Structure formats: C-alpha cells, structure tokens
Amino acid sequence: MTAGITDAAHVVDAPNVLGLLPTRPRLLALGEPTHGEGDLLELRNDLFRQLVEQEGYRTIAIESDCLMGLVVDGYVTSGTGTLDEAMERGFSHEWGAFAGNRELVRWMRAYNEGRSPAERLRFAGFDGPLEITGAASPRQALAALHAYLAAWVDADLLPCAAETLDRLLGADDRWTNPAAMMDPSQSVGRTPAAAQLRLLADDLVALLDAQTPHLVAATGREDWHRARLYGRTAVGLLRYHAAMADPSPSRMAKLLAVRDSMMAGNLLAIAERGPALVNAHNGHLQRDRSSMRMGGLPVQWWSAGAIVSAHLGQEYAFLATALGTIRDHGVDAPPPDSIEGLLYALPQERYIVDPRRLASALATVTPAARVSPWFGYSPLDPAHVSSTDGVVFVKDARRNPAPPAVD
C-alpha cells in the first residue's frame, strides 16, 4: 500500500499545504491527536510562521480560554505586561507551561515590533472558560458586557442594573463547584436565579446587536468585537451550567455539544475579522460527527469544525495530524495494518499527504483500528480521512523540553 502514497508525501510547509487546497481558506485549522507534545508544537510553529509571513494570515487561534486569551493578545499586539505574565495568565488547561506555546507567543511579539496596528498578528483563545472539572462563573463575561453597554447606551434601554446581576450571580464558588460535574444536583445551572440570568444575558446580547451602528461609531470596532465575545461567552456559560444541572441520560452529550458550539461561535467571529490559523485537538476540528463512550454509553455531538465547515464551506480547511509513537506514554510503533502503520512505513520523519491519495491506497483494504494504550492520544479514524484536506504525520514524538524559567 505504501507505493500508492510515497510520491504524495511532502514536506510540511506552506506551499505544500496550500497546494492541497482549491483556494486559500479563511480559517486554516491544524489538528493534533494529543496535547503538549514538543514535536507537534514545533511543527505547528514552523508552519504557522510561514503562513503568516508568506500568505498574510493575521490571527492565530488556540484551543484555550477565550477570555484568558485577551491577556496574550494584549502582550503580542501592544507589549502589555511581560512574557511570563502572558504565559501564566493567558492560557487555560495549564498550557502556558508548554515550551512550544511560549516560543509561539515570544515570536508573535517579536513579529509585531514596529508594525502598524493593521499589520499586527493577533492571538485568540477560542475555547470557552471550561475545564474538565467544571465551568467558570459567568460573572466576568456578564459584568464586562453590562459595563460596556452601560457606558454607551441610554440607561433606560438596559434590562437591569449591575447590582441585579451581582445579586443573581451570588458567590462564584457556587458556579465552580467541581462536584457538579458528576452530580447534576450540585449544579446551580437551573435555579430560578440562573434562569433569570439567562433571560438577562439574552436581553443584553440583543441590545448589543440592536445598537451596533452606534456602538461601532462611538467605541470603535475593536471594543465592539470584544463586547460580542463577552456576550457569546456569557450566554454559552449559562447554557453549559444549565446542561450540568440536567439529570437526563443525554446530559454529557449536551455538555460536549455546548462546548463545541461555543468554540464554533468564536471561530466564526474570528473569521469575520480576516484570515486565521487554528490549532486544537483533531476531535474539535474534524468535519465528521464526534463520538465516544462514557459510562458504557455512546455519546455523539457535532464538533466545532463540523459547524464551522457547514457555515464557511471551502473557506474552512482542516489538516489532521497523526503520530507513530509517543514512547514516553507507552505508545509504541503502530500495527502494520493500521493507518498509522501504513504511514509509519514511509521513510520521512514528518510529512503531509494528500488524503485523496491515502484514501485511494486504502480503497481495497480495511485498516485495523489502532487502540492507544494511553488515554491522552487519539488515533486517526480511517473513516475520517476522506473528510480532511491533508494528513500530517509525525513518526516519533520526542520528550517535551522544559520551558525556560525566565526569558
């Protein structure tokens, strides 16, 4: 089978990536099958640098908290704070500790030095303020949206006072209680106060939309975009907390769907502002419906990539990444009859292959499903190959280097 794709395996660079696509996409997404591997972050950084410098991409979006990402954006665009502060306060999931992420932020700041605001490279997180153990309080997003509107529209148009929001929100630890992730009865997401907050959040977002001409003229497009981010986040968090309080069997599917829907909303807003590069797990960026088993039951939902692709069509492109080994985590050489085994047999250490050539090579066989011994790695699903725009393969993942203590 390798003979069918050997000639189609190319160096992972901007010309070879764009050569697989009918046109330059507005959103070009690079997936990864696991998080934090140094080789994958190094490859991402090299490819994204080329696409910025050669193709004019102007935003890099990462699977990290969208509100925390504002800290990184302030640093890379205006030099606000320090690199250490950006890495500590600007990433969720503890991803500020990855050396590859630190190098990306350092390079973005250096790239922007001396450039006009229109030429500067922007950073964005596009995940919601969510962790495996739960979700953030909607306070930050709601309060910021209300403050923006209160400063620029007539007071009698506001659906409530800031004090009303504060009273309904109560203590933040009610919202962030980790016990609520496993026990719906511990969630405040369907209390009368939460229901009222959802109505108020909807009214605030509607007011923001209705006042768009005035707000863009009065505050500038940048502040208006940020207010829209606060609105999307507030509404999304309140939906997520309501789903956490749902005791039905579909609870987990709803939580996963809300999260990816929040991601998709952020990516579509980023796309409105110009061409952007995206990096996240393959599962969030794929065009296929996502699925997994939780508690012995199948769970399905549409990924952010599937939603965005339905909106943007050919203006969205997705490159899936697969790995041969992650020996530090017990992921050894793949079975020869798996899709990773086919790719592993080629001599290159890292390359990109046309999925049409790969699908053709697989047409007469049924590849074995690779099973990972480590929960943190998701093998490539052979059934998803045809819905990608390119498959990036890295043969052997090396140990992650530790980030420097200071820069």
Side-chain angles (χ1 to χ4, degrees):
M1 288 189 291
T2 57
I5 61 170
T6 299
D7 294 339
H10 300 295
V11 174
V12 186
D13 61 15
N16 285 328
V17 165
L18 294 178
L20 295 175
L21 309 174
T23 185
R24 188 191 75 164
R26 181 168 286 266
L27 283 182
L28 177 52
L30 175 65
E32 58 183 10
T34 186
H35 294 308
E37 288 300 320
D39 274 15
L40 299 188
L41 297 178
E42 178 187 281
L43 182 149
R44 175 202 67 187
N45 291 353
D46 289 345
L47 178 60
F48 281 9
R49 285 190 196 105
Q50 294 177 44
L51 290 164
V52 166
E53 294 170 350
Q54 300 172 23
E55 300 296 331
Y57 282 90
R58 284 294 173 265
T59 299
I60 293 178
I62 302 296
E63 184 192 335
S64 182
D65 185 324
C66 57
L67 299 186
M68 296 179 77
L70 297 173
V71 174
V72 182
D73 188 56
Y75 173 73
V76 301
T77 57
S78 306
T80 303
T82 66
L83 177 57
D84 285 341
E85 290 169 346
M87 302 313 297
E88 181 180 352
R89 300 191 294 111
F91 287 86
S92 56
H93 317 315
E94 300 182 350
W95 290 348
F98 296 154
N101 286 342
R102 186 182 185 90
E103 173 56 24
L104 176 68
V105 174
R106 186 208 62 76
W107 172 77
M108 292 178 70
R109 178 62 197 141
Y111 178 89
N112 284 335
E113 285 286 357
R115 297 183 186 272
S116 68
E119 296 176 311
R120 289 174 192 159
L121 185 58
R122 306 295 301 266
F123 178 92
F126 71 92
D127 199 356
L130 308 169
E131 294 285 354
I132 294 174
T133 56
S137 164
R139 180 184 305 279
Q140 179 186 358
L142 273 175
L145 175 60
H146 188 279
Y148 173 78
L149 290 169
W152 295 105
V153 304
D154 293 340
D156 59 354
L157 294 177
L158 293 169
C160 67
E163 292 77 14
T164 301
L165 292 179
D166 192 60
R167 174 178 57 79
L168 292 170
L169 285 162
D172 283 345
D173 59 7
R174 298 168 61 244
W175 297 90
T176 58
N177 177 13
M181 179 52 72
M182 302 305 296
D183 182 358
S185 69
Q186 297 292 312
S187 172
V188 298
R190 294 195 175 185
T191 60
Q196 183 64 24
L197 284 168
R198 291 186 74 181
L199 291 173
L200 292 173
D202 182 70
D203 286 343
L204 288 168
V205 170
L207 178 60
L208 176 67
D209 184 60
Q211 293 290 315
T212 292
H214 163 63
L215 293 170
V216 170
T219 74
R221 195 166 291 274
E222 182 60 36
D223 285 352
W224 173 74
H225 274 299
R226 182 170 294 201
R228 292 175 70 209
L229 171 62
Y230 290 135
R232 290 192 304 275
T233 305
V235 170
L237 279 173
L238 287 165
R239 287 175 182 159
Y240 194 87
H241 281 287
M244 288 182 73
D246 180 6
S248 75
S250 63
R251 176 178 184 263
M252 190 54 65
K254 291 177 181 177
L255 288 171
L256 294 167
V258 170
R259 182 188 180 194
D260 271 87
S261 180
M262 290 176 71
M263 288 183 170
N266 287 331
L267 287 175
L268 289 169
I270 289 166
E272 287 180 23
R273 307 182 68 175
L277 303 167
V278 183
N279 182 227
H281 197 280
N282 287 332
H284 291 304
L285 299 178
Q286 67 189 27
R287 290 187 176 93
D288 297 275
R289 198 172 192 186
S290 298
S291 63
M292 63 189 304
R293 295 189 71 85
M294 302 192 72
L297 299 175
V299 179
Q300 292 187 323
W301 72 101
W302 288 108
S303 71
I307 297 169
V308 170
S309 182
H311 280 272
L312 297 185
Q314 288 189 343
E315 289 197 290
Y316 176 74
F318 165 52
L319 309 176
T321 299
L323 273 168
T325 71
I326 319 174
R327 298 191 191 278
D328 291 342
H329 292 290
V331 181
D332 294 321
D337 58 348
S338 69
I339 192 167
E340 282 91 347
L342 169 66
L343 298 172
Y344 195 75
L346 299 185
Q348 298 94 326
E349 289 299 317
R350 56 173 71 173
Y351 58 88
I352 186 168
V353 64
D354 186 332
R356 291 162 295 189
R357 297 288 293 272
L358 185 55
S360 177
L362 297 172
T364 60
V365 299
T366 302
R370 187 183 190 187
V371 178
S372 173
W374 176 47
F375 73 93
Y377 167 64
S378 299
L380 187 64
D381 187 337
H384 293 175
V385 169
S386 61
S387 62
T388 69
D389 296 293
V391 176
V392 176
F393 187 72
V394 175
K395 200 163 193 176
D396 300 292
R398 299 169 299 177
R399 182 179 295 276
N400 297 322
V406 295
D407 195 270

